[in-house]
Amino acid sequence: MDYDPNTNPFDLHFSGKLPKREVSASASKVVEKKWLVKDEKRNMLQDEINRVNSENKKLTEMLARVCEKYYALNNLMEELQSRKSPESVNFQNKQLTGKRKQELDEFVSSPIGLSLGPIENITNDKATVSTAYFAAEKSDTSLTVKDGYQWRKYGQKITRDNPSPRAYFRCSFSPSCLVKKKVQRSAEDPSFLVATYERTHNHTGPHASVSRTVKLDLVQGGLEPVEEKKERGTIQEVLVQQMASSLTKDPKFTAALATAISGRLIEHSRT
DNA sequence: CGTTTTTGACCAGCGC
DNA sequence: GCGCTGGTCAAAAACG
């Protein structure tokens, strides 16, 4: 969308040939004139770049708004769908022996989630349970996960088969929102935080800078290539896919990408 | 001063 | 009943 019909490659060709010409007295005047023309053209181009730049900004904002609406709609769809089909997902769940085994299997075999975070939903009449995995610094002991919602911590426990504690959170948006989550470092790979969500929010989705957090996690977090255990390889792979899918569906990331691309185009057109 | 976090106490479920 | 475990409560402390 940044193609500009007014942009003329003339300048480049001209300047490229300049040094090779023999310079006579009359020719130098011609060159001088051409330089003036070039200056004028450069100014015009600069104006044009500025105009396109501001246009890009507006388009980016529009895109962000559209994506935000899409995101909200997507959340709603997700909620409706999870209310509809309780049995199919539950089947697999009941066959498993322990809670923790279930958690792991769920992670390894599950399809990629629809939106940022949840990989799989398990629904019954009482509650919706979903699990999400976040990359985290090993040194970070806070057990907080930036998923865009606001949480109030109400407990912390040491569990039997995991050296790191489990933290319990409630959604603090409103007392009527009954969503809870548990966050604990993965026993298999301590560079992940495992967040387990119960029920669905009865209010609008996250407004915080989720995409920025995800970007940060990608930079800081455990996405360096790891090639040790088989299990870990699978976990890494799924996480990468999940994040990729999350990012492409995240409006703010899309907007940021658009801005970045337009920035690059402008930069390119300057050279 | 209101909100959030911390943390030990308490409770419920389960197996023995 | 008893002990173990996971989940929650609530008073005190910390925070903004």
Side-chain angles (χ1 to χ4, degrees):
Chain A
M1 68 173 148
D2 278 328
Y3 174 70
D4 183 2
N6 295 326
T7 309
N8 197 332
F10 165 77
D11 287 348
L12 266 173
H13 295 148
F14 182 69
S15 60
K17 284 175 185 169
L18 243 189
K20 292 180 183 170
R21 290 260 171 113
E22 284 182 24
V23 183
S24 65
S26 61
S28 76
K29 276 187 183 172
V30 175
V31 170
E32 223 170 278
K33 269 188 187 173
K34 287 192 173 174
W35 271 104
L36 283 174
V37 172
K38 193 182 173 183
D39 267 356
E40 207 173 302
K41 285 222 168 203
R42 194 201 292 150
N43 287 338
M44 278 170 63
L45 276 174
Q46 190 61 55
D47 288 348
E48 191 61 21
I49 286 167
N50 289 341
R51 193 186 62 77
V52 170
N53 200 6
S54 67
E55 200 175 304
N56 266 336
K57 266 189 185 172
K58 279 179 196 166
L59 285 170
T60 303
E61 281 166 22
M62 274 172 67
L63 183 67
R65 274 200 295 274
V66 169
C67 286
E68 216 157 307
K69 281 180 185 172
Y70 162 78
Y71 193 62
L73 205 61
N74 196 32
N75 272 346
L76 197 66
M77 277 288 291
E78 222 178 302
E79 201 183 317
L80 288 173
Q81 275 177 346
S82 67
R83 275 183 198 165
K84 263 189 177 175
S85 56
E87 281 137 30
S88 56
V89 205
N90 242 356
F91 175 71
Q92 175 191 7
N93 182 19
K94 294 210 167 152
Q95 284 183 320
L96 297 165
T97 51
K99 257 191 182 176
R100 274 151 231 107
K101 186 179 184 306
Q102 166 204 330
E103 214 172 69
L104 178 68
D105 290 353
E106 207 177 281
F107 177 73
V108 173
S109 63
S110 68
I112 308 302
L114 268 175
S115 65
L116 187 78
I119 289 178
E120 181 173 351
N121 286 344
I122 297 167
T123 315
N124 53 40
D125 10 327
K126 283 178 192 167
T128 303
V129 177
S130 66
T131 313
Y133 293 76
F134 295 81
E137 291 274 353
K138 287 193 182 180
S139 55
D140 185 17
T141 56
S142 66
L143 282 179
T144 52
V145 144
K146 285 164 190 168
D147 51 18
Y149 290 96
Q150 239 193 318
W151 303 93
R152 187 172 54 82
K153 190 178 178 182
Y154 67 90
Q156 181 163 319
K157 267 274 165 180
I158 302 286
T159 53
R160 209 170 49 80
D161 57 353
N162 193 331
S164 69
R166 176 184 298 167
Y168 299 88
F169 296 90
R170 246 190 280 267
C171 180
S172 66
F173 180 82
S174 84
S176 62
C177 184
L178 302 171
V179 179
K180 289 178 198 169
K181 75 167 176 182
K182 292 176 272 192
V183 179
Q184 189 170 30
R185 210 164 270 281
S186 165
E188 283 77 30
D189 190 337
S191 55
F192 297 117
L193 284 177
V194 184
T196 309
Y197 296 83
E198 276 173 48
R199 296 174 175 268
T200 45
H201 295 274
N202 64 0
H203 50 89
T204 53
H207 291 292
S209 53
V210 179
S211 61
R212 225 157 288 174
T213 309
V214 171
K215 251 197 298 190
L216 218 66
D217 283 347
L218 281 171
V219 175
Q220 298 173 345
L223 283 188
E224 320 91 22
V226 182
E227 77 271 37
E228 303 124 23
K229 285 193 231 161
K230 234 195 258 171
E231 290 175 359
R232 194 168 297 191
T234 323
I235 288 176
Q236 292 281 343
E237 210 179 306
V238 174
L239 188 82
V240 167
Q241 285 179 36
Q242 187 211 354
M243 282 201 167
S245 125
S246 298
L247 284 176
T248 52
K249 282 176 177 165
D250 183 24
K252 279 163 189 163
F253 175 78
T254 319
L257 193 65
T259 313
I261 289 170
S262 62
R264 277 302 278 260
L265 284 172
I266 287 163
E267 222 179 288
H268 195 70
S269 69
R270 275 206 182 108
T271 52

